[in-house]
Amino acid sequence: MPRIMFLYALIAGILLGFFYALMSLGLNLGFGVLQVVNIAHGDIVVLGAYIAYELSSKAHLNPLLGMLLAVPPAVILGLLIYYAIAPALGKSADPEMLSLILFFGISQVIEALETVVFGNNQKTISASSFGSGPVHILGQAIPREYVLAALVSIPVIALVFYYLYRSRLGLATRALMSSRDDAMAVGINVGRTSAISFGIALGLAASAGALSNFILGGTNPTQGVDITTTAFAVIIIGALGSPAGTLVGGLVYGLTFQFAQTYAPSWANLVPYLLLLIVMLVKPTGLVGKRVRYA
Amino acid sequence: MPNRIWLRRAGDLAAIAVPTLIFAFAPSFEGNTLLLVNMMVYVALAQGVNVIYGFTGYLPFGYVGFFGAGAYGTYIAVAHLHVGALVAVILGGLFSVVVAIILIPLLRLQGAYFAIASLAAALVLSALIGNPDLKSITNGPYGADLSKIYSVNGSYYAGVVLVAFALIVVVFLQRSRFGLSLRAIRADQTSASMAGINVVLMRSIAWLLSAAIAGFAGAVYAWALSVFYPDAVFATTISLFAIVFALFGGVGSTLGPVIGAVVLYEVYNSIGVSQPQYFQLIYGALIVAVAMFLPGGLASLVGPRWRQWVTKRFGRNPGEPLPAGDV
């Protein structure tokens, strides 16, 4: 029996790991280019979840199509936010603290608007359009949603990696992530590249929202804070500013969470936060990071 | 010039006494004492954020952890040590200081790292205290009952003392060498350390003072509520409110956070209780606006003019402490 539980936790943890990686990738991208932790990240995930929910419940669209449609508005929102706050950040003596407070305010505004528009009740999308019953992997009955989330997350993550490592704009983005000054010196349009990257970051957050509907058991406006904290734990575990680290972080997080839930369910909720604290205090560079980067 | 010094001392005394006396006599004008207790609790919490953020630059998203620790420390003292109300409240506040001592390593982190790590620590504490496995100590998620020590007047005047305590701490920071050291550290840690300031010690003391304020606030709140659940005293909104109130009023000033807390809590009370989402919208937008256009909060509208007037009337004082840096 323990062997079977172990196998279940292992498979479910890996599958969920890909989802958590996708959910956190945008936060890391935004941090990489702006040196800013976007406290509103979780609220954008929730926004994506609501858009997918509305499209599937009112327009009867497949939730995955809803996921695609949630991305463009989030990208536009990202561009708007970037251009609204960039001048103030540029002028500030302490841009880090200012951005923290600005995003804190923005997060509250988004959460409030979500409550006004979508209400306070938990919204859930039925996963029945993807068939019913668990999927059997290596003799384990794995919830269908987990498999679906992994199957969707993997190609999206692959696409982001392709963009970052193979496209010209991606190259510029990575240059910006490793050194803003050097990027500027070699003639990269820092403002435009940052804006686009921030847009993509929010787009990714929104795309994870459609899946969070299945994985986190529904959507409500107050989820934002928890999602931000979890995503922050994931990118810290990996390494801040490293997209590959986020994948590692997601898997570590998914596995830890699943094992805790299997063996000590009443303590499982502590896992993300304890993991975050331990990594931050013991190895602030993350598991794959090479150097400390201060937010 | 003696005039100038006496004026400042009188001003400091008034800054402590006026809000305290207003709260002490408020029940004769306002029948809803629980509302007043809440307001005093938020005045204290906003000052607590002022102490740690305004003077050291650490923004604690998990500030509520100390509040909850104070509330549960009080419960544990009453349920297991069977002490009286006053002793329980003091032990509650001290319990929060103990938690803060354990969390001192968090101060190694900076900026957003610290903000989010402190939130994580508060969530861990909340999950620990609310865990059904710890039912024998904290009664887990089933709630804490303080009806044994219930006293409307007792908890109210404990709240008044709390407000005075928070104000005394802030005035002390404004005027003392210790507060000056903190501001020096905030402005430039390396230079401050070169000048012989023990950076780690000073910061840790500010952290413990700030935790003590939140702990006593939690204890007073618990006493006034009498029956409460982990969710009520560890609600993330408590941290958010305290930070927003402090920023709106103006961190680094003495009275800014008091005014911020009173004004915004009044707004919250009139619309936020029935429709919290509209209040959240207002304070979210307010925080963006304050951060962008008025980084010193409300206090920065009045402060410079007051100083100008004093200078014109009583002459310049070379001993004037450095003005607090902007947000």
Side-chain angles (χ1 to χ4, degrees):
Chain A
M1 189 63 189
R3 184 96 180 250
I4 295 177
M5 275 161 67
F6 180 84
L7 201 58
Y8 175 87
L10 186 70
I11 297 170
I14 290 174
L15 292 174
L16 282 184
F18 286 109
F19 163 73
Y20 284 117
L22 174 66
M23 191 183 89
S24 319
L25 200 53
L27 185 62
N28 209 353
L29 194 61
F31 175 81
V33 289
L34 286 183
Q35 305 295 304
V36 158
V37 178
N38 175 10
I39 304 293
H41 179 81
D43 301 290
I44 305 290
V45 174
V46 172
L47 187 66
Y50 272 120
I51 293 175
Y53 167 81
E54 291 293 319
L55 288 172
S56 85
S57 68
K58 305 265 160 63
H60 304 289
L61 285 180
N62 185 303
L64 292 186
L65 195 59
M67 174 176 171
L68 282 180
L69 292 175
V71 173
V75 173
I76 294 170
L77 185 63
L79 293 174
L80 287 178
I81 292 179
Y82 179 81
Y83 283 116
I85 67 168
L89 291 182
K91 273 185 292 181
S92 168
D94 187 358
E96 180 198 337
M97 215 64 214
L98 175 64
S99 63
L100 186 62
I101 292 166
L102 278 178
F103 276 109
F104 166 63
I106 292 170
S107 141
Q108 296 304 314
V109 170
I110 296 174
E111 190 182 319
L113 289 176
E114 281 165 358
T115 316
V116 171
V117 176
F118 303 109
N120 245 331
N121 300 327
Q122 183 92 349
K123 299 277 165 58
T124 49
I125 305 179
S126 151
S128 59
S129 43
F130 306 105
S132 60
V135 177
H136 292 274
I137 301 172
L138 299 176
Q140 299 296 312
I142 306 288
R144 189 167 285 266
E145 295 83 8
Y146 291 11
V147 180
L148 175 74
L151 287 180
V152 175
S153 300
I154 293 169
V156 178
I157 295 171
L159 202 65
V160 174
F161 277 59
Y162 182 82
Y163 154 76
L164 281 174
Y165 290 92
R166 289 284 176 270
S167 76
R168 214 181 151 69
L169 191 60
L171 185 68
T173 309
R174 281 188 303 126
L176 198 57
M177 284 165 89
S178 73
S179 165
R180 208 179 171 81
D181 291 341
D182 292 349
M184 218 179 279
V186 296
I188 291 170
N189 186 336
V190 170
R192 205 186 54 147
T193 311
S194 303
I196 294 172
S197 301
F198 194 64
I200 293 175
L202 293 206
L204 278 171
S207 75
L211 297 173
S212 81
N213 231 313
F214 305 119
I215 302 297
L216 306 176
T219 301
N220 69 65
T222 55
Q223 262 173 345
V225 184
D226 288 339
I227 293 178
T228 304
T229 327
T230 307
F232 196 72
V234 168
I235 67 173
I236 286 273
I237 294 168
L240 276 175
S242 152
T246 305
L247 192 53
V248 176
L251 290 171
V252 170
Y253 178 83
L255 285 167
T256 321
F257 186 69
Q258 273 305 312
F259 277 105
Q261 205 153 50
T262 309
Y263 293 103
S266 76
W267 301 96
N269 287 339
L270 285 179
V271 169
Y273 311 121
L274 278 179
L275 213 54
L276 175 73
L277 287 173
I278 293 168
V279 173
M280 256 196 208
L281 293 173
V282 178
K283 194 166 188 311
T285 49
L287 294 182
V288 301
K290 294 184 195 74
R291 57 193 164 150
V292 185
R293 303 177 59 143
Y294 286 108
Chain B
M1 224 195 275
N3 263 344
R4 181 76 165 76
I5 289 164
W6 282 110
L7 185 80
R8 188 198 285 172
R9 284 188 187 154
D12 287 346
L13 192 64
I16 297 168
V18 171
T20 308
L21 288 175
I22 289 176
F23 277 116
F25 291 105
S28 354
F29 310 104
E30 165 67 60
N32 187 346
T33 47
L34 196 56
L35 171 92
L36 290 171
V37 169
N38 282 335
M39 199 181 265
M40 291 191 291
V41 161
Y42 276 114
V43 165
L45 286 175
Q47 288 295 26
V49 169
N50 191 14
V51 168
I52 188 66
Y53 178 60
F55 289 87
T56 70
Y58 285 88
L59 189 61
F61 280 175
Y63 195 51
V64 67
F66 298 133
F67 184 79
Y72 267 92
T74 309
Y75 167 73
I76 292 168
V78 170
H80 300 291
L81 306 176
H82 309 287
V83 295
L86 279 180
V87 179
V89 166
I90 289 167
L91 287 178
L94 291 180
F95 181 59
S96 169
V97 174
V98 171
V99 171
I101 291 173
I102 297 169
L103 293 180
I104 280 180
L106 287 185
L107 294 175
R108 280 162 47 192
L109 306 168
Q110 292 177 333
Y113 288 74
F114 171 81
I116 294 173
S118 79
L119 177 63
L123 291 167
V124 167
L125 194 62
S126 156
L128 264 179
I129 284 178
N131 198 301
D133 292 353
L134 295 182
K135 187 175 179 298
S136 59
I137 304 170
T138 62
N139 208 23
Y142 314 107
D145 185 355
L146 287 178
S147 49
K148 250 198 307 192
I149 58 164
Y150 183 67
S151 154
V152 176
N153 280 331
S155 55
Y156 187 85
Y157 289 103
V160 176
V161 173
L162 170 72
V163 168
F165 171 63
L167 285 164
I168 290 169
V169 170
V170 173
V171 167
F172 169 69
L173 290 184
Q174 296 282 17
R175 296 295 178 233
S176 66
R177 213 185 148 73
F178 170 62
L180 194 60
S181 309
L182 287 180
R183 274 181 287 189
I185 295 170
R186 201 196 144 153
D188 187 338
Q189 187 179 327
T190 318
S191 310
S193 142
M194 296 291 200
I197 295 171
N198 186 338
V199 173
V200 175
L201 181 71
M202 297 289 163
R203 243 182 215 160
S204 305
I205 295 175
W207 173 243
L208 300 187
L209 278 174
S210 169
I213 293 175
F216 286 124
V220 169
Y221 185 72
W223 192 9
L225 272 190
S226 198
V227 175
F228 60 91
Y229 294 87
D231 288 352
V233 291
F234 283 104
T236 324
T237 48
I238 295 173
S239 299
L240 302 188
F241 278 17
I243 293 171
V244 171
F245 294 174
L247 287 175
F248 175 64
V251 287
S253 72
T254 309
L255 287 178
V258 178
I259 293 163
V262 169
V263 169
L264 284 186
Y265 191 78
E266 201 47 64
V267 177
Y268 169 73
N269 195 51
S270 53
I271 61 161
V273 179
S274 53
Q275 304 197 294
Q277 67 271 34
Y278 289 106
F279 179 67
Q280 191 179 28
L281 190 61
I282 292 174
Y283 81 65
L286 206 60
I287 264 333
V288 172
V290 166
M292 301 258 274
F293 307 113
L294 193 66
L298 287 184
S300 67
L301 289 178
V302 185
R305 261 161 237 178
W306 165 249
R307 231 166 274 138
Q308 212 173 30
W309 181 82
V310 172
T311 312
K312 214 166 96 188
R313 184 84 176 67
F314 297 94
R316 224 175 72 81
N317 179 1
E320 169 102 287
L322 296 170
D326 49 3
V327 174

